Structures are given as structure tokens and as C-alpha cells.
Amino acid sequence: MFTRRIATRGLRLTCTDAQAKPRERIVVSNPANGEQLRVVEVASESEVEQTVAGAQCVFEAGTWSRAPAMERSKVLSRLARALETRIPELAELETLQTGRAIREMKAQLSRLPEWIDYYAALLRTTQGFVAPTQGKLLNYVQRVPLGVVAQITPFNHPLLIAVKKIAPALAAGNSVIVKPSELAPLSVLEFAQMAEAAGVPSGVLSVLPGYGTTAQLLAQNPLVRKVDITAGTHTGRLLGSTVGRNLAAFTAELGGKAPIVVFDDADLPSAVNGAAFAAFVASGQTCVSGTRLIVHKDIWDTFMPLFVDKANSIRRRIGNPSNKNSMMGTVISETHLLRIQSMLDKSLHAGELLTGGQRLTGTSELDGFDLSGGSFYPPTVIANVDTASDLWREEIFGPVVVAKPFSTESEAVALANDSKYGLGASVWTQNLSRAHAVAAEIQSGLCWVNTAHRNDPSSPWGGMKDSGIGRENGIEAFESCNKSTIVNIASAAESRKTDDWFAEGVEERRYG
């Protein structure tokens, strides 16, 4: 059991501050067995203000914000290499604090250096441009940093989502403050220490553990010029309204209810495997989780038994998340598990339960691990769901899939779009024309064809409708703020003749 306290980074506390009021603490526990891992101190209101003010001072000083692009690139490259050496250790930490299977975390974290390398490379290669302008004017456009950027990150992919946000913000020269999930802050705290060791100046990257009030304090601070959040839609709306009052930038990846559309010409083994990955990786705790399975009626009776068999195979191989052979871990907490169970119990009448539907107890068939002591929930499949039910409409954020047949292409598209969300989707077909046509009609920021959950630092990532606003990844995340400089290159004599708007006489003048 880990009990080491981790101090909040970015704070400068005095003895008077520490003695004035007992510090609130977060106990981080392992959801696989309930054991305490570490205790983390919560940032107070005054500490949040101090951290934001300090980040603004560092930004204005220009140590990082005005450092040459090549210098920032070198620091990020060093950070990427340092991260590579720590992947096994950090993967174990992620498994302990999230309950996710170690095989998932090793595979996921092994890709994180790519994000840092990508933005380090952009710093070396991205150029400003000269915009075509009428008259004798030179208009050059450059990317400039925004200032202090606050990032609110979730529990489901603690380090992945944090790095996706941190890398472009640091590359752009911003000062960054991260508020990680109170359920899984440990890896983000460790990463911040690594960043400073790699050469990111003190105060440029800070981490403030806390609850929702900490996020609100960051969002309402007028010095914060951008808030970037990954969270549920309700939380995104609340923070977005706060950010809007400061006229700050806002990026939000929010809830999802991704459709998986399987046509009758799909390769069945590939579609079954892909749908299972989309639905059950991370125990279904992803915003792009494939939770609505839409299958052509002509293959329904063949596809669904295969999919249920796959779900049952996964269930039989759930064990200790630290076991490399375990296929799926826990959900994040007992509270979260009870919420999933409550949603199912209220709405199961709206469909036919094919497998799962109750928490796992007893010992694991895989390795004898005591599942009763953790928040283990099995892959769950519910068929013929009423589209008016909460099972179809609301985000469950667990390993629960609802399935429904369709007859025509237009019906498939209508079912896929029958959601307030629009983050991810996948289409399974061997017909190339159909693949492009259906992907174009589905209302989602991401659509995969014959695959699912593919992600790359170069590929813009974000949603439509209630799934959020703005984009992560790619050049879009790097070039979030541009500045135009317009220089009059005409001679003084010519300018005196053409640019005196209020000159006497009626001669026409250019406006703008």
C-alpha cells in the first residue's frame, strides 16, 4: 500500500497558510481492491489564485512564452525521451489508480511520446505566412501564445488526455495549469515533475489537485485565457458559461453515445472484434465508447450470438488488473458502479438482456483474484432497445451496449443520428461507396470505417452537438491564436497623398 503524500505543484505556501486551516486531502484508492494508494492535498481557493498569478508572471517574463521555438522544441524532445523510459512504471501507476488492465495501460502509454514529439516537430517546421492584401501593405501572420491555459482532465485516461492537452499548449508557449480528476491524479503529478526535470521552467506547468470547485475557480479567473476540458456534458455546460463571461477561449470534449453501424456485407469476424473493442476497452469508460450497436437485420441472427460470445469470453478473462492476461479491469469506483446498475435496473424493461447486467463477485476464472472487493462490472449486451429509453439516449460510461436491427441505409443513418451526442461513430462495410456516403451523413466529429478508436496526434479530435466544441490534436490545437501584423510599405510621399481620409476635397479614398 502506498501512503506517500504528493504535494501540489505550482504552489508557494507559507507556514502561516499551512497552519491557518487544516488542509483538505484526497485519498486515492485502487478500485480493484479498495486499498489506499496515496494521499494528495487539495488546492485551496487562495492557492488557486496564487498559482494562476504565478503562471501569469512567468508568462509575462517570457522565459518560456518568448523562448525561441527551437529551444522549446528541444525541451519537449527531452521530455518525450524521458517519458519513454518511464512507461512501464507509469503504466503500473495508471492501473493501480484506475483499475484498468495493465495490458491496456502499457499499450496506451507507449504512444504518449508521439504527441510530445509531434508538437516538438511542429515548432521546428511551422511557419507564419504572408496574407494577400490590397494596396502597398505587407500582412504577415504569426502564431502567438494565449497566456495562462487551464486544463481539466478526467479519470478514464488520466495521462493520455493530459498529455494530449499539455503538449500543444506548452509548444505554443503558454503557461499551463492542470486540474486532474480527483479519482486519478497521480500520473499527472508525476508527469509535471518530469517536465520540470526536462527543462520546462518552474511555474510554466502546474498541477492543482481538487474537486469541481477547483475547476470553477480556474474557469472564473480573469487571467485564464483558455479553458480546455474533457468531462461530462453537464460539467462542460457549467464551466463553459463561466468561461464565456470572461470572453476566454474554450475547448470541450464532452459526452458521447457512439453508434456502431454494421452492414450485411461487413466482414463478420472483423466487425465483431472491432465492436467489442469499441464497446469494452477501458471498461466502456471512454467518450467515444461504441455503446449503440446498429446491425443489419439480415445478419442480426448471426452477428449477435458471435458478439455475445465475445463479451462472455472477455468476462471469463477478467482478473487482477495487474495480470498481463486480464482482458478488462474495473470501473473507476463503487459509486460509479452503483450508478451503472441503477440505470440498468430502471430501464431493462426497454430491452432484452443477453449477457451481463450484474456486478461481478466471487473469484476470477482467470487467476482466482477476489472480484468481490473491487468495482468489476461485466460486458453487458441488451438487444431490441426502445430508442426512447435512457439506455439508448443517455451516456452510461460503463461496459454496456444496446443493440437494434435496421433494414435500410437511411434507417441506419437515422438511428445513428438519433442522439444528442456526436463525438465518435464507426461503420462496418466492404462497400467503399457506402462507407464514404454513410460516414458523411453521420453527425459526429470522428467516424471510423472498418475500425474503431484510432487516434493520432496529427488527427483533429472533437465532437458535434452535445459532445463539445473545438478540437484537440493536430495543427488546430497548436495554432489556437494568431496575430496579424500589417505594415504600410508605400513611401511617405505616397501615403500622404492616398491615406489622408479627412483630406479636403471629394477625392475617393480606400476604406480599410
Side-chain angles (χ1 to χ4, degrees), residues 364-434:
S364 163
E365 295 181 44
L366 174 71
D367 56 14
F369 187 77
D370 182 11
L371 303 175
S372 302
S375 301
F376 291 91
Y377 207 85
T380 297
V381 184
I382 306 166
N384 298 308
V385 172
D386 184 344
T387 57
S389 73
D390 284 350
L391 291 177
W392 180 270
R393 312 205 72 81
E394 299 299 327
E395 186 175 37
I396 297 175
F397 221 63
V400 179
V401 178
V402 296
K404 196 169 182 65
F406 71 90
S407 298
T408 65
E409 185 175 303
S410 60
E411 184 185 3
V413 171
L415 286 170
N417 291 337
D418 184 22
S419 174
K420 60 187 175 183
Y421 299 111
L423 183 56
S426 63
V427 177
W428 297 82
T429 177
Q430 296 300 301
N431 184 319
L432 186 61
S433 296
R434 172 188 284 159

Side-chain angles (χ1 to χ4, degrees), residues 128-200:
F129 66 95
V130 175
T133 307
Q134 298 180 48
K136 292 187 176 181
L137 299 171
L138 173 66
N139 182 183
Y140 59 91
V141 182
Q142 299 168 295
R143 189 213 51 74
V144 295
L146 288 165
V148 180
V149 174
Q151 301 175 341
I152 318 300
T153 60
F155 66 79
N156 54 334
H157 308 294
L159 196 53
L160 169 65
I161 291 178
V163 169
K164 282 173 62 179
K165 296 179 187 299
I166 291 169
L170 285 182
N174 297 295
S175 293
V176 180
I177 302 172
V178 183
K179 202 296 284 184
S181 168
E182 65 275 13
L183 297 170
L186 304 181
S187 55
V188 181
L189 285 160
E190 295 288 347
F191 179 78
Q193 294 175 359
M194 293 172 58
E196 190 163 326
V200 176

